[in-house]
Amino acid sequence: MSVPDFSTQTELFSTAGLSGSLFAPADRYRLFGKLVYPVLAGARPTLEKCYCLENGRTALEPVLMLGVSLLQELDGVPDRQAVDLLRYHAGWNFALNRQLGDPLFHPSSLVNFRQRLAEHQHSALVFQSVWQALEQAGWVSRQSRQRLDSTQMFGRVAKMSRLDCVRESLRLALQELEGVVPAAARPLGWGAWWERYVENQVDYRASAESLGRKLGEAGGDAWQVLEWVRRAAPAPWASGPQVALLRRVFGEQFDVVAGQPAPRAQESAAVVAEAAEATSTVSPPAPPPASPVVGEPALGEIASGAASVTIQPELPVAVAEAGQRIEPKGKGQLGSDRVQNPHEPEATYAVKGHGAQKKEHVGYKVQVAETVSEAVLAPGEPTCNFIAGVVTQAAHESDEQGAERMAAAQAAMGLGPPPVLYVDGAYVSAEKLVEAQAQGRELIGPAQPAPRKEGRFSTEDFAVEVEARRARCPAGQLSTQCSRLEEEATGKVSYRFEWSTHCHDCPLRAQCLGKDQRHRTLVVGAHHSALQARRQEQRTETFQQRMKHRNAIEGTQSELVRGHGLRRARYRGLGKVALQNYFIGAACNVKRWIRREVWKLQQAASARVGRAAGAATT
């Protein structure tokens, strides 16, 4: 698909000819056309790389599509309404260097354009282009103070239980296989699987015991489907995306255990009869092999599609014919990065807070960085801070990981590390404080308090000198021993301080030791001194005044959520959601840029009026 000829020159008889009467100098559409449209036109060489210049029909103008997508975020309109505004709205046409009555396009073309940007790794193009224009205009610099915080973003998914997730994954895999596997090549249990997972749904009025048994049954069926597919490799259909997803879901939700059911398992005759009835149309299983191996059942057993079910006190267990059990994992074994909905595997689970403040969501996490200016604004003056980065990550990932992703994204834009970064406690650790100090930067944020067990003294009550290998307890006694500990797997170093004879007759013993503890021990990290210094510093008035610079990021996130819809994803997939958020960040910066320009024009007009009034009086 080739791109059309392009010109930045306004035609003689266009909307621009009416600019004097329709659009005042401070009109936002005039300012968009003056400030932003040239920036979008400058991105055309990069946009051209998304198209084939020597093949296919002429494409829609990519600069126009990019401008429409950005105006959508500014005005908060969907695709269909955006095309209607191109048809009727003089401001939109003037801002995009168009005439009223120019040819339009179908709203789905905007979908295809966004897909093209994501596929060619140009999701951040509009954000980076606007940032570079702000830098050239003098509003931002490559190295400036910043504040950073994250907010949750709900994925475009429905909430599913474990049983829903497994059954839906099976349904999608079976439908994918049904279209590519000939009927003669399907296993004998195909009809039972199809009837159970494609044609029927679970009755959720059933008891918890029955639903639990259904989960075990679904696990057994998923295992048999995957084993049949594995044995069919390297058939091309054996590596389809839905089959791969089913394999992932099975690994996240179930364990394959060798051997017979545990003696405590009480087999129910009613359950066995129900399982037999469900598989009555399937041939009986072949005898098990002499030496069953985990994950290697006989082909006849896989084709049979039959699995018996037992009931245990905790969870039901599906017993495979080769002496293997397919056991649902316990709640504590499930990872937060598991698939929550097979229609959106990249939307993961996260929880924030505890008790009444606990917030759960399935989706993504968005890191937002903003510049920090210490200039005092005049009354009514708009902000001179701008969005310096928008990073979308999996919901289960930590804020420290998000900060690392933000640093990498800003480095790709040519920005240096901020000399001062204001954050909350989720970004502060001993390692990060030492790292920032070594780089000559400041990480301004409160350190998390040390855990305090049963009201006893915590690490914060001890004066620890890791470098000198000594520590002083609240009673004023120095430690009697210091040991260096190193984890073999990670190489992480920590130090253990002990007080032996000092604890026997200590008057603070009840506040320091547990019931069966003979003497106090204290384990700290290798960089505990930096953490201890921050905990002491954050109690000072000076630090608390500096932390006020961080508070404004909460208002920025509220602006992005309420004004631009940052809270909910409009698309599925991390790549498309990241594209949405880059457009949101660019739109916020454009809006702030235009407001600054309007303020400048208003101030200039007021100055002219003042000079004219002064000249008249003289």
Side-chain angles (χ1 to χ4, degrees):
M1 180 178 287
S2 59
V3 294
D5 295 333
F6 179 69
S7 173
T8 59
Q9 298 298 320
T10 303
E11 297 186 17
L12 181 60
F13 299 102
S14 66
T15 309
L18 303 174
S19 59
S21 58
L22 289 180
F23 305 104
D27 184 89
R28 66 190 187 104
Y29 294 110
R30 171 185 278 273
L31 291 173
F32 186 97
K34 175 184 176 181
L35 302 174
V36 182
Y37 183 77
V39 175
L40 305 181
R44 195 173 195 270
T46 303
L47 292 172
E48 288 178 356
K49 298 176 183 178
C50 301
Y51 298 83
C52 178
L53 302 180
E54 301 176 353
N55 186 19
R57 63 183 176 84
T58 302
L60 293 168
E61 173 51 50
V63 174
L64 172 64
M65 306 301 287
L66 190 64
V68 171
S69 300
L70 185 54
L71 279 174
Q72 278 185 265
E73 291 296 339
L74 279 170
D75 288 356
V77 297
D79 295 343
R80 190 173 298 278
Q81 188 175 348
V83 175
D84 287 340
L85 288 172
L86 278 182
R87 177 180 291 112
Y88 302 119
H89 200 290
W92 270 52
N93 284 274
F94 179 60
L96 297 173
N97 193 28
R98 278 172 47 91
Q99 301 181 69
L100 285 172
D102 276 356
L104 299 175
F105 49 83
H106 194 272
S108 61
S109 297
L110 290 168
V111 179
N112 298 333
F113 175 73
R114 291 191 294 265
Q115 180 69 27
R116 192 181 295 272
L117 287 178
E119 289 177 353
H120 289 80
Q121 307 298 317
H122 290 316
S123 298
L125 176 62
V126 66
F127 182 82
Q128 294 177 0
S129 298
V130 172
W131 176 269
Q132 291 169 4
L134 289 170
E135 183 182 353
Q136 293 173 3
W139 293 115
V140 296
S141 63
R142 290 185 176 271
Q143 198 168 32
S144 60
R145 296 169 178 256
Q146 294 181 14
R147 42 181 166 248
L148 176 67
D149 200 9
S150 66
T151 187
Q152 62 183 1
M153 189 175 194
F154 295 102
R156 196 173 181 82
V157 293
K159 185 177 180 180
M160 279 190 170
S161 65
R162 293 178 62 182
L163 178 59
D164 284 331
C165 183
V166 176
R167 288 181 61 90
E168 184 67 7
S169 300
L170 267 166
R171 184 184 72 83
L172 294 175
L174 290 173
Q175 289 181 330
E176 179 183 78
L177 293 170
E178 191 267 343
V180 293
V181 180
R186 298 172 189 167
L188 296 178
W190 181 271
W193 296 336
W194 188 268
E195 179 182 1
R196 190 174 299 155
Y197 300 106
V198 179
E199 297 179 350
N200 290 305
Q201 295 182 349
V202 172
D203 183 6
Y204 290 96
R205 295 171 297 180
S207 63
E209 179 183 358
S210 177
L211 295 177
R213 187 166 60 247
K214 290 290 185 182
L215 178 62
E217 178 185 63
D221 290 339
W223 175 74
Q224 294 181 57
V225 170
L226 291 172
E227 284 298 302
W228 165 64
V229 169
R230 183 180 65 82
R231 290 172 178 267
W237 48 264
S239 57
Q242 297 301 333
V243 171
L245 181 61
L246 176 63
R247 187 176 294 110
R248 174 185 169 185
V249 170
F250 178 81
E252 294 170 344
Q253 297 282 355
F254 300 94
D255 283 326
V256 180
V257 182
Q260 297 299 324
R264 63 188 178 88
Q266 302 297 322
E267 189 170 2
S268 170
V271 173
V272 174
E274 180 180 341
E277 181 180 356
T279 56
S280 59
T281 60
V282 183
S283 301
S291 301
V293 181
V294 176
E296 295 290 342
L299 182 60
E301 295 164 343
I302 298 173
S304 71
S308 61
V309 179
T310 61
I311 300 298
Q312 290 191 4
E314 295 88 4
L315 287 173
V317 179
V319 184
E321 305 303 331
Q324 296 170 319
R325 301 198 310 277
I326 311 302
E327 297 183 356
K329 292 183 178 180
K331 186 176 181 180
Q333 297 175 279
L334 300 177
S336 57
D337 60 340
R338 71 185 186 275
V339 175
Q340 300 287 333
N341 188 314
H343 295 282
E344 172 53 309
E346 293 180 294
T348 56
Y349 170 83
V351 59
K352 182 178 181 180
H354 304 280
Q357 303 298 323
K358 183 178 180 180
K359 297 180 180 179
E360 300 175 290
H361 84 283
V362 174
Y364 307 93
K365 181 184 290 186
V366 186
Q367 301 285 340
V368 179
E370 183 182 31
T371 61
V372 176
S373 172
E374 295 183 331
V376 179
L377 300 179
E381 182 179 0
T383 180
C384 54
N385 299 316
F386 293 88
I387 306 297
V390 182
V391 170
T392 308
Q393 63 183 109
H396 69 277
E397 293 182 343
S398 67
D399 282 336
E400 284 195 3
Q401 291 175 294
E404 294 173 358
R405 292 176 182 269
M406 179 63 72
Q410 292 186 340
M413 292 172 57
L415 305 184
V420 181
L421 183 62
Y422 301 93
V423 295
D424 61 18
Y427 298 86
V428 178
S429 65
E431 291 75 13
K432 293 301 179 182
L433 289 171
V434 171
E435 179 184 338
Q437 185 178 6
Q439 296 175 354
R441 301 183 295 108
E442 287 188 272
L443 182 65
I444 307 299
Q448 297 283 3
R452 190 177 296 272
K453 187 176 181 181
E454 299 176 1
R456 300 198 297 267
F457 292 132
S458 70
T459 307
E460 296 185 44
D461 300 309
F462 291 75
V464 182
E465 300 176 48
V466 175
E467 294 76 13
R469 306 293 189 267
R470 65 185 180 186
R472 189 178 298 275
C473 73
Q477 300 292 340
L478 287 174
S479 56
T480 58
Q481 184 177 348
C482 177
S483 305
R484 184 180 183 274
L485 310 176
E486 183 175 353
E487 295 183 8
E488 183 177 353
T490 63
K492 182 179 179 180
V493 176
S494 57
Y495 293 89
R496 181 176 62 202
F497 297 90
E498 298 185 42
W499 289 261
S500 56
T501 56
H502 297 313
C503 299
H504 295 167
D505 301 320
C506 179
L508 302 179
R509 179 183 178 90
Q511 298 173 255
C512 192
L513 300 180
K515 180 179 179 181
D516 299 323
Q517 222 174 338
R518 299 183 60 185
H519 64 275
R520 181 62 188 253
T521 61
L522 190 70
V523 179
V524 298
H527 303 300
H528 178 75
S529 296
L531 191 63
Q532 183 175 247
R534 174 53 54 87
R535 285 172 175 163
Q536 295 171 355
E537 180 189 9
Q538 68 193 36
R539 299 190 184 102
T540 64
E541 181 67 23
T542 302
F543 183 89
Q544 294 171 9
Q545 289 296 324
R546 296 191 71 187
M547 276 299 295
K548 290 182 179 180
H549 289 298
R550 194 211 74 89
N551 298 341
I553 193 66
E554 303 290 350
T556 297
Q557 288 184 343
S558 178
E559 176 185 356
L560 296 175
V561 168
R562 298 173 185 272
H564 299 280
L566 184 68
R567 178 69 71 222
R568 296 187 177 276
R570 304 189 199 111
Y571 318 107
R572 289 178 179 171
L574 184 61
K576 291 183 178 180
V577 175
L579 175 66
Q580 171 190 339
N581 293 337
Y582 275 124
F583 270 102
I584 288 175
C588 184
N589 279 342
V590 167
K591 180 174 61 178
R592 294 183 178 187
W593 187 9
I594 290 175
R595 286 176 178 172
R596 291 295 304 180
E597 293 295 331
V598 171
W599 169 262
K600 286 173 58 179
L601 291 172
Q602 290 173 348
Q603 293 301 106
S606 298
R608 287 195 300 269
V609 171
R611 287 194 298 268
T617 57
T618 58

